Amino acid sequence: MTVDIKQLLIFDFDGTLIDSVPDLADATNAMLATLGKETYPIETIRNWIGNGSRLLVERALVGKVEVLEGELTVEEANYAEHLFFEAYKNLSGSKTVAYPDVDNGLKKLKAAGFTLALVTNKPIRFVPKILQSFGWQDLFSEVLGGDSLSTKKPDPAPLLHVCKALNVTPEQAVMIGDSRNDILAGQNANMDTFGLSYGYNYGQDIRELNPTEAFDAFTALVEYIFKNYTIDS
């Protein structure tokens, strides 16, 4: 069996490490209620998450995944996004939970010597508080939000930025996520990609995007990494 040398594990956040849908859904419905619009059940909103806050807000305003050009004015979307951010900021975050075995798995990987990074499309202002709530603030060597750079996933730029900052080549890195944005970003950056099937991928099976490997549980991902990857020392 060939064991690949890897150093850097880049993780997505929402849908990969944490289930934040309940808080995001509450904030979305609070925004809609403030605007006097129809609110939606959590399972509907779940399918709108994964492309960052702006598109989530726009999808909620039109009530569907595809937002057509001209359906919303920039002013409408800007105001609604402002309301969404205010609502999300005021939530306690108590409904956001880590997926099973993520806490233990991350700590095992870190202890084994892998470098961990976090690249999310969530606005960066909301990330530190959530990391701290789980005690993960010291696990990740680099943390990027969706607005940390001028582009976000599926653009490979955030992944390549992290690699450069940590002096790691893309070939020594793996992108791990639950949605097409994660897999496409990793593929565009020419790095291995691991898909997790339990997250938010708009109802599409993550395996259809041809990740390097796909897993149904975080424990299976961690076991695979320990079995197939070694660290370049």
Side-chain angles (χ1 to χ4, degrees), residues 77-100:
N78 283 345
Y79 181 59
E81 189 176 34
H82 167 74
L83 293 176
F84 171 81
F85 283 153
E86 284 300 303
Y88 192 57
K89 180 183 71 176
N90 293 330
L91 291 168
S92 68
S94 60
K95 291 184 180 179
T96 294
V97 297
Y99 283 109

Side-chain angles (χ1 to χ4, degrees), residues 55 58-59 62 64-74 76-77:
L55 198 47
E58 292 180 355
R59 286 165 170 166
V62 301
K64 54 190 173 70
V65 170
E66 187 179 5
V67 182
L68 301 176
E69 189 175 348
E71 279 191 281
L72 297 168
T73 66
V74 173
E76 281 179 300

Side-chain angles (χ1 to χ4, degrees), residues 14-15 18-25 88 95-97 99 122 200:
D14 301 66
I18 59 170
D19 183 3
S20 54
V21 165
D23 283 331
L24 291 170
Y88 192 57
K95 291 184 180 179
T96 294
V97 297
Y99 283 109
K122 181 190 288 295
Y200 324 142

Side-chain angles (χ1 to χ4, degrees), residues 130-230:
I130 299 173
L131 285 176
Q132 198 148 14
S133 73
F134 292 109
W136 296 346
Q137 64 272 14
D138 298 324
L139 287 179
F140 299 99
S141 300
E142 284 286 319
V143 176
L144 290 185
D147 51 357
S148 295
L149 304 177
S150 59
T151 58
K152 57 178 181 279
K153 300 174 296 183
D155 194 294
L159 309 189
L160 297 175
H161 177 93
V162 167
C163 286
K164 185 175 181 181
L166 296 173
N167 196 29
V168 174
T169 66
E171 292 76 23
Q172 292 175 304
V174 187
M175 178 65 216
I176 301 164
D178 66 300
S179 82
R180 63 183 294 109
N181 296 315
D182 304 312
I183 304 306
L184 291 175
Q187 291 169 342
N188 291 334
N190 294 315
M191 63 178 62
D192 283 358
T193 56
F194 289 166
L196 291 161
S197 66
Y198 53 70
Y200 324 142
N201 194 34
Y202 327 112
Q204 181 183 18
D205 186 338
I206 196 73
R207 291 173 172 85
E208 292 177 17
L209 296 161
N210 299 313
T212 309
E213 297 289 341
F215 308 93
D216 298 320
F218 201 81
T219 48
L221 163 78
V222 174
E223 288 169 6
Y224 181 91
I225 291 172
F226 277 120
K227 184 177 180 181
N228 293 279
Y229 289 156
T230 187

